[in-house]
Amino acid sequence: MLNILFAAKSEKWTEYEAPLKEAFAAHGLEVTLSTDMAADVVDYIIYAPNSGLDDFTPFTHCKAVLNLWAGVEDVVGNPTLTMPLARMVDPGLTEGMVEYVTGHVLRHHLGMDAHITNPDRAWIDTPPPLARDRKVAILGLGALGSACASALAALNFDVHGWSRSAKDVTGVTCHAGDAGLMSAVDGAHFIVLLMPLTPETENLISTDVMCRFAPGACLINPGRGPLIDDEALLAALDTGEVAHATLDVFRTEPLPPEHPFWSDPKITVTPHIASTTRPASAARTIAANIAGHERGEPLRNLVDRGKGY
């Protein structure tokens, strides 16, 4: 019998209780799953960083913490979390991100806004370029970034990817390291941010980076809000250096009503919905990881504490 603590907001327990129990049963695991149990008997913690749990010291028997979110920047630096930490890598999360990114790239590529909001009833008959003539830069080639890069490459875009360390994605021109960043964004028409948030990536999208974009480029950020220097972005939008920004993540969420992003016609604000952990598929991912670990297999999707993701 495994004792598993579910540490997340109370409303998440309502969503996850049944799918988790079903997933554990499918793997033949006998578990006691609860939101409240003695710390010294807990074998695993299913965890959301906004749960309020921030002291892991009492969990002396815990084998691993399994994050419900893809992002771990809010927990990876916790000095009391000494046990293994696995981040969420889930098919539903990936599918949602691919749909969001390809949808917004195609929206801007096809110039759909001009046809949807056309109060003058202008006959705008200029066709867009073909995808083969548009460069897309995907910054961050983890599970989500690689999947988005592959999907856009399949649509015949000229896709370039960038990551801190060298990656190989079929159909994608891959760049790495500091020098590779500028090569990836140089002349890019669409730039998609899917990097983790670390001290090295905060404010990475600065004036120096944005000036390398193709004139009138579109920036899409479903990754982390602080990846962008907000003031530099507003300035680039004012000059037309960047034509539009579709932003799903922000330094403060919900985005305050007085924030200038709301009133800028060149910014689309979406409320952190690009990719959401779906309880059914996330539960299967967590159960499979725990079941494998109980069989002696290595935990999947372990966080590298040195890298921060």
Side-chain angles (χ1 to χ4, degrees):
M1 178 71 71
L2 293 174
N3 294 313
I4 299 177
L5 177 67
F6 185 85
K9 296 282 190 181
S10 57
E11 60 267 22
K12 293 299 179 184
W13 174 243
T14 303
E15 297 174 14
Y16 274 92
E17 182 182 10
L20 281 168
K21 288 179 177 179
E22 181 179 341
F24 286 128
H27 283 276
L29 292 175
E30 295 185 13
V31 305
T32 297
L33 179 66
S34 175
T35 60
D36 184 22
M37 62 177 62
D40 60 356
V41 304
V42 172
D43 293 297
Y44 295 92
I45 301 174
I46 300 171
Y47 179 73
N50 65 351
S51 64
L53 171 60
D54 55 14
D55 183 7
F56 293 86
T57 306
F59 298 96
T60 54
H61 187 63
C62 183
K63 302 175 186 179
V65 174
L66 296 100
N67 209 43
L68 281 171
W69 302 356
V72 295
E73 63 271 10
D74 292 333
V75 65
V76 69
N78 187 326
T80 71
L81 203 168
T82 57
M83 60 284 288
L85 172 65
R87 61 190 178 89
M88 177 58 65
V89 177
D90 168 58
L93 202 65
T94 302
E95 289 172 28
M97 187 61 78
V98 168
E99 291 171 11
Y100 182 94
V101 168
T102 54
H104 280 281
V105 168
L106 286 170
R107 165 198 168 193
H108 295 302
H109 165 61
L110 296 172
M112 295 173 70
D113 288 9
H115 299 285
I116 294 169
T117 57
N118 185 9
D120 297 328
R121 302 181 184 181
W123 189 259
I124 307 169
D125 60 354
T126 303
L130 292 173
R132 72 177 75 243
D133 298 320
R134 300 276 208 176
K135 179 177 178 179
V136 180
I138 305 287
L139 306 187
L141 288 176
L144 298 178
S146 294
C148 292
S150 295
L152 289 165
L155 292 171
N156 217 26
F157 284 99
D158 175 22
V159 182
H160 291 244
W162 176 80
S163 53
R164 282 287 174 188
S165 55
K167 298 287 180 66
D168 184 15
V169 180
T170 301
V172 177
T173 303
C174 295
H175 308 267
D178 293 337
L181 173 63
M182 292 304 187
S183 297
V185 302
D186 195 32
H189 301 93
F190 308 105
I191 302 87
V192 180
L193 309 184
L194 285 168
M195 305 94 78
L197 179 59
T198 68
E200 292 74 27
T201 61
E202 185 169 0
N203 291 321
L204 185 69
I205 306 306
S206 61
T207 299
D208 290 343
V209 172
M210 286 187 280
C211 73
R212 302 291 291 269
F213 299 172
C218 293
L219 180 65
I220 300 169
N221 185 16
R224 294 290 178 265
L227 298 173
I228 299 174
D229 180 331
D230 291 353
E231 295 302 318
L233 173 60
L234 289 168
L237 289 165
D238 283 343
T239 63
E241 193 169 43
V242 174
H244 198 95
T246 295
L247 308 177
D248 187 60
V249 285
F250 309 91
R251 294 174 186 272
T252 301
E253 294 184 2
L255 186 66
E258 67 277 8
H259 198 286
F261 285 172
W262 283 115
S263 57
D264 195 316
K266 296 181 179 180
I267 294 178
T268 298
V269 171
T270 60
H272 204 143
I273 55 166
S275 189
T276 303
T277 306
R278 272 76 170 177
S281 57
R284 291 191 291 269
T285 296
I286 289 169
N289 210 358
I290 290 176
H293 194 235
E294 288 297 303
R295 293 192 298 267
E297 300 171 7
L299 283 164
R300 306 171 193 170
N301 309 313
L302 278 179
V303 171
D304 184 324
R305 306 299 176 93
K307 292 181 178 179
Y309 57 90

